[in-house]
Amino acid sequence: MLGPYPLSPVDVADTLIGRPPDPQAAIVLWNIRLPRVVAAALIGAALAAAGAAYQTVFRNPLVAPDILGVSQGAGFGAVLGILLGLPVLAIQLMGFAFGIGTIALVMAIALALRGIGQVLVVVLCGMAVAALAGAGISLVKLMADPDDQLPAITFWLMGSLAGIKQADVAAALPAIVAGLLPLIALRWRIGLLALGDDEARTLGVEAGRLRLLVILSATLVTAAAVSVAGVIGWVGLMVPHMARLITGPRFDRLLPVALAMGAALMVLVDAAARSIAQQEVPLGILTAVLGGPVFLWLLARGGRTWAE
């Protein structure tokens, strides 16, 4: 219902059942509003699930989906596509490919350093690769046309669903579903990783292989989300902590609630982005404005114990 073109609940209901009040309402709902709502729900659920999985696997409450440089790598691929003047679909594919390539590079470096099984080595490799991708983004911005390409790059890096279409949702859906399915199916085993590798092996879980599968699955959904919507921060960090207030730390209970809360949060944020001002506000700005105070509130509520 929300947006520059107002639709009442009756208008929405009539349009959904094939009786739109006018042709413009049908175009707005089916071609603009509905794809945005579905995309926002998918991306919010994906980022929240990835954040919850990363925080459990790395046993660190401050871990976010971009911990291994996936967001930066996908961002570098997308801005490079904008610089080359590629069509939107090609830009999204480059973002997705570079995001997956980033995690492949991180794993290859960790393997070369013989630290593929050590969480700290993998995270440090991710930080190094993320720094390189960030430098690449800065270089592309320096080379971009300041009148045309640079504004597009800047707006994309702040995250937005302004140009989302049904085809974009269809393109991102398979990768997001493919990444979420292992997390959902193995959520009980994944929760055991929070106990440590030795305890997980005692309970019959091969910690190394499971951790690698979780990282790959969470990376897949993050790369798919970033390739479609740009870089959206705070959702993967903030939502899992909000869900823990309801479910507690058990991952098998946390994941479904984080999925629902992430989807709901992104739908509300996207609705606000297209409603609070004449010009659409990038999603990354709103999530940061919301995420900072909420995260401080969570820290104050949990106190020292939560931080540890």
Side-chain angles (χ1 to χ4, degrees):
M1 295 183 294
L2 300 178
Y5 186 87
L7 291 173
S8 68
V10 175
D11 293 338
V12 173
D14 288 344
T15 305
L16 288 176
I17 63 176
R19 296 185 303 179
D22 58 76
Q24 188 70 19
I27 294 173
V28 169
L29 182 65
W30 291 110
N31 295 342
I32 301 175
R33 297 276 173 84
L34 198 57
R36 285 190 70 152
V37 170
V38 174
L42 277 175
I43 290 167
L47 293 177
Y54 277 133
Q55 289 171 11
T56 300
V57 166
F58 293 120
R59 302 168 65 188
N60 187 334
L62 298 180
V63 166
D66 57 356
I67 183 66
L68 298 181
V70 181
S71 296
Q72 292 85 346
F76 177 57
V79 300
L80 188 60
I82 295 174
L83 179 68
L84 296 175
L86 300 179
V88 175
L89 181 59
I91 291 172
Q92 293 174 351
L93 289 176
M94 282 193 66
F96 180 75
F98 273 67
I100 298 298
T102 299
I103 191 63
L105 179 60
V106 169
M107 291 301 177
I109 296 174
L111 183 62
L113 297 176
R114 298 178 181 178
I116 192 67
Q118 301 179 28
V119 172
L120 180 59
V121 174
V122 174
V123 171
L124 291 177
C125 291
M127 293 174 62
V129 173
L132 292 176
I137 291 173
S138 298
L139 180 62
V140 170
K141 292 170 70 175
L142 183 65
M143 298 170 60
D145 181 356
D147 297 324
D148 180 23
Q149 295 173 329
L150 186 58
I153 289 173
T154 303
F155 190 77
W156 190 91
L157 289 174
M158 290 189 291
S160 175
L161 293 174
I164 203 76
K165 297 179 178 63
Q166 295 177 2
D168 301 324
V169 178
L173 182 61
I176 292 177
V177 171
L180 289 178
L181 283 178
L183 300 180
I184 295 172
L186 300 173
R187 61 188 183 277
W188 182 82
R189 291 176 175 267
I190 295 172
L192 297 179
L193 295 178
L195 302 176
D197 289 2
D198 293 337
E199 289 80 0
R201 292 191 188 97
T202 302
L203 295 171
V205 174
E206 181 57 46
R209 293 180 181 178
L210 182 58
R211 180 179 292 109
L212 180 60
L213 176 61
V214 173
I215 290 174
L216 293 177
S217 299
T219 297
L220 183 62
V221 299
T222 302
V226 173
S227 67
V228 171
V231 181
I232 301 174
W234 285 98
V235 176
L237 176 63
M238 175 179 57
V239 172
H241 289 299
M242 296 170 62
R244 286 189 186 94
L245 296 177
I246 301 173
T247 66
R250 282 184 50 174
F251 186 78
D252 58 326
R253 298 176 179 175
L254 170 67
L255 182 61
V257 177
L259 285 167
M261 293 183 69
L265 176 66
M266 280 304 303
V267 169
L268 293 175
V269 169
D270 182 58
R274 60 176 187 263
S275 303
I276 62 177
Q278 292 184 347
Q279 181 178 0
E280 183 162 325
V281 181
L283 295 178
I285 294 177
L286 291 181
T287 55
V289 170
L290 178 65
V294 170
F295 200 71
L296 291 175
W297 175 76
L298 290 171
L299 180 60
R301 178 187 175 92
R304 184 183 181 90
T305 302
W306 176 85
E308 295 173 351

